[in-house]
Amino acid sequence: METVFTAEYFTMTEADAVEYAKTRLGIFDQSAELTCKEIGDGNLNFVFKVVDELSGKSVIIKQAGPVARISDEFKLSPDRNRIESEILDLQYKLAPGFVPVMYGYDPIMNCCVMEDLSDHEIMRTALLKYKKFPLFADHITTYMVNTLLLTTDVVMEHKEKKELVKRFINPELCEITEDLVYTEPFFDCERNDIFPATRAFVVENIWSDKELLLETAKLKQEFMTNAQSLLHGDLHTGSVFIKEDSTKIIDPEFAFYGPAGYDVGNVIANLTFALVNAKFTMEDGDARDEQVEYLQNTILDIIDLFKVKFIKVWEEKATERTAGYEGFKEHYLANVLKDTSAVAGLELCRRIIGIAHVKDITTIKDGKKRAAAEKVCLTVGKRFIMERDSLMEGADFARIIKETVENF
Ligand code: SR1
Ligand code: MG
C-alpha cells in the first residue's frame, strides 16, 4: 500500500522514502524506477539514499528522529533538521564548493533533501584505509576561515549577527556537547564507556588531576557563553565527505554561535585519532612512517594556513572600527588558537572516556595496542588543554603529538 503523507510527522522506512521522493520532491521523472537504502551510520539521524535506477539520478533524504540512534536516552527536538538546512544554505554562500547543495527542507517530516555525494567517501573511513588527501589542509582552512570569521562581530553588522544568534539557538544539541564533551568524561559518570585496560590510567591521570578539572570548568563556561562565530559544531572526520580534489562538509546540526576554536580543535583531534590509528595498526616500515608523517604535517599545515588565511580575510573584510586597532587581530587570533588547542584536547579525551567513541580507536583489535593508543590520545589531550596558552604554531601541535607517540 502506498504511504499517504498527512500533516503529521512520522519516521520513514526505506519504502516511505521512495514514496516521499516520488510524490513530494519533483526531482525525478514520472517514469523513474526508484530504489532506496538507509545508509546513516552516525549517532543521530536516518539517511536515505534514493536512486532512479533508469537515469542514475540520486538524492539524499536526511530525517531527524525524535531520539538519537546511539541511545534513546537522548530525546532531541527534530528542529535540528531546520538548523542543518538553514546553515547549509548560509555556508553555501560563505564557503562555496565546500558544502552539499540543498534541494529542500520539510518542517513537517523534519527532513532535508540534498545532493548525493556518493562519488566522495567519508574521510574517517578513507583514513582508516590509510589514504592521503594532500588538498585537505587547504580546503578545510578556507571553509573554516570563511564560515567562522565571516559570521563574527568583526565582519558582520552587529544586529544582523544577533539575528543569526537567535536563529541558531540550539539548546538540546548544545546540551549534548556540554555533557558529553565538557562534563561526563572528567568524572566517573555512569554513561562513560571506558576500555577496561585504560580505566586505571584515566583514574590516575584525568579524574585525579584537580588542575585539569579546573581548566575543563573554565572551558565549559567559555563554550556556553562565547557567542563568537556560527560553528559547524561537530566537525570531525565523519562530517567530511572527501575525494582527491574535493572536500564537502556535511552534518552541521550541532550548529550554534560559540567559540571559533571549537571547530578547528575538532578537526585537529580527529586527524590525531587517524594518526594514532595508523601508528598502532600498520606494520612497522616506510608506509607507516609516511602515513604518520602525512597526518602530522596536515595538522601542522591546518594551524598555519588557518592563521595566514584568518589574517588575510580579517584585513579584507573587517568592518568593526575597533578591529583595526594595532595588535587587536593578533590578540583575537591567539584566543582562537588557545580554544583550538583546548577543544582538540577535550575531544581527544571524550572519545576515549565518554559514550561516543571513534572507529579509529575501537577498531584496533589487539587489546594492548588499543590501550596504548588510548593512553596516547589522553596524554596528548591533557597536554593540549594544559599547555594551550603556548601552542601558537602548527609545529607546536605536531611536536606534542610526535613526542607522545614516540613515548608509547
Ligand atoms: C548523542 S550524540 C553523540 C555524539 O555524536 C555526534 O556526532 C556528536 O559528536 C555527539 O557528541
Ligand atoms: Mg553528525
Side-chain angles (χ1 to χ4, degrees):
M1 200 178 79
E2 282 187 2
T3 310
V4 178
F5 290 92
T6 59
E8 263 181 49
Y9 165 85
F10 63 92
T11 49
M12 289 192 277
T13 62
E14 289 175 347
D16 297 329
V18 165
E19 203 50 37
Y20 186 85
K22 253 192 214 161
T23 57
R24 295 297 187 92
L25 296 187
I27 289 177
F28 296 102
D29 292 342
Q30 285 297 328
S31 59
E33 283 182 17
L34 299 185
T35 59
C36 172
K37 206 166 162 25
E38 203 284 306
I39 56 166
D41 73 344
N43 293 326
L44 299 183
N45 305 297
F46 301 95
V47 181
F48 300 98
K49 176 175 169 176
V50 180
V51 182
D52 174 6
E53 300 293 343
L54 286 182
S55 66
K57 196 187 262 185
S58 56
V59 294
I60 295 294
I61 302 175
K62 180 169 174 183
Q63 188 180 37
V67 293
R69 287 180 90 156
I70 188 177
S71 156
D72 55 17
E73 257 183 58
F74 298 98
K75 309 231 173 335
L76 302 170
S77 154
D79 183 52
R80 65 187 187 273
N81 204 261
R82 172 193 64 81
I83 292 197
E84 173 159 356
S85 22
E86 289 189 8
I87 193 180
L88 279 172
D89 270 343
L90 182 64
Q91 292 189 337
Y92 192 77
K93 293 176 198 126
L94 295 173
F98 292 110
V99 295
V101 181
M102 292 298 293
Y103 301 134
Y105 162 62
D106 179 339
I108 291 171
M109 292 303 287
N110 293 307
C111 67
C112 52
V113 183
M114 65 185 103
E115 182 184 6
D116 176 24
L117 295 167
S118 297
D119 58 335
H120 293 59
E121 221 180 333
I122 288 289
M123 188 174 191
R124 192 185 304 285
T125 315
L127 292 176
L128 293 184
K129 293 184 223 156
Y130 315 126
K131 293 191 181 174
K132 300 187 183 74
F133 299 96
L135 297 181
F136 178 67
D138 183 36
H139 288 173
I140 196 73
T141 48
T142 300
Y143 165 84
M144 290 193 296
V145 168
N146 285 9
T147 58
L148 298 173
L149 182 51
L150 298 183
T151 55
T152 60
D153 283 303
V154 172
V155 174
M156 287 190 77
E157 196 283 318
H158 300 179
K159 291 190 290 305
E160 273 175 33
K161 183 236 170 181
K162 286 181 175 67
E163 280 305 315
L164 284 188
V165 175
K166 260 205 284 191
R167 228 169 96 194
F168 291 99
I169 283 286
N170 197 350
E172 288 168 343
L173 276 79
C174 283
E175 186 180 42
I176 291 183
T177 304
E178 289 152 21
D179 291 344
L180 299 196
V181 178
Y182 288 85
T183 315
E184 295 178 6
F186 299 97
F187 74 101
D188 191 3
C189 175
E190 217 180 300
R191 206 153 55 179
N192 287 333
D193 179 13
I194 306 175
F195 189 56
T198 307
R199 192 177 172 87
F201 188 90
V202 172
V203 174
E204 192 181 331
N205 295 282
I206 306 291
W207 294 343
S208 307
D209 186 337
K210 288 195 178 139
E211 284 175 20
L212 174 67
L213 299 186
L214 172 60
E215 295 313 307
T216 66
K218 293 180 195 167
L219 292 165
K220 183 174 177 185
Q221 290 303 311
E222 155 88 0
F223 176 80
M224 294 172 77
T225 57
N226 182 3
Q228 184 176 32
S229 294
L230 183 53
L231 307 184
H232 175 286
D234 196 23
L235 192 45
H236 54 76
T237 46
S239 298
V240 177
F241 256 125
I242 197 157
K243 60 179 179 154
E244 205 185 330
D245 57 352
S246 167
T247 303
K248 304 271 185 186
I249 312 304
I250 58 166
D251 272 4
E253 65 207 317
F254 282 78
F256 83 111
Y257 258 90
Y262 191 81
D263 279 355
V264 193
N266 265 288
V267 173
I268 299 300
N270 281 276
L271 291 172
T272 309
F273 290 130
L275 183 153
V276 170
N277 174 277
K279 174 78 186 173
F280 287 95
T281 59
M282 292 177 82
E283 300 272 312
D284 272 13
D286 288 350
R288 179 171 83 170
D289 294 348
E290 277 166 26
Q291 188 66 11
V292 167
E293 200 180 311
Y294 154 71
L295 288 162
Q296 211 170 272
N297 288 339
T298 303
I299 290 168
L300 186 152
D301 288 346
I302 288 173
I303 297 295
D304 292 347
L305 282 171
F306 180 83
K307 289 172 65 181
V308 171
K309 292 181 188 183
F310 193 93
I311 294 294
K312 186 165 180 283
V313 173
W314 182 298
E315 283 167 353
E316 287 167 5
K317 298 269 167 74
T319 59
E320 160 61 35
R321 183 186 156 76
T322 61
Y325 292 172
E326 200 179 319
F328 183 64
K329 63 177 177 295
E330 291 78 10
H331 160 84
Y332 190 104
L333 177 57
N335 281 332
V336 174
L337 292 169
K338 281 180 208 171
D339 289 339
T340 295
S341 173
V343 171
L346 292 161
E347 173 78 359
L348 280 160
C349 293
R350 74 100 166 196
R351 297 287 189 183
I352 302 300
I353 303 171
I355 189 181
H357 292 276
V358 286
K359 285 198 181 125
D360 315 50
I361 304 301
T362 56
T363 57
I364 302 176
K365 290 199 189 81
D366 178 318
K368 277 197 182 138
K369 288 186 179 168
R370 173 165 171 187
E374 294 197 347
K375 289 171 194 170
V376 169
C377 296
L378 294 170
T379 306
V380 173
K382 182 169 164 174
R383 287 193 65 185
F384 279 175
I385 295 170
M386 299 308 287
E387 296 174 38
R388 65 187 184 280
D389 288 350
S390 61
L391 306 188
M392 293 289 136
E393 309 283 339
D396 299 328
F397 287 76
R399 175 180 42 82
I400 288 187
I401 295 168
K402 191 164 188 268
E403 280 170 11
T404 312
V405 166
E406 281 170 0
N407 254 330
F408 277 87

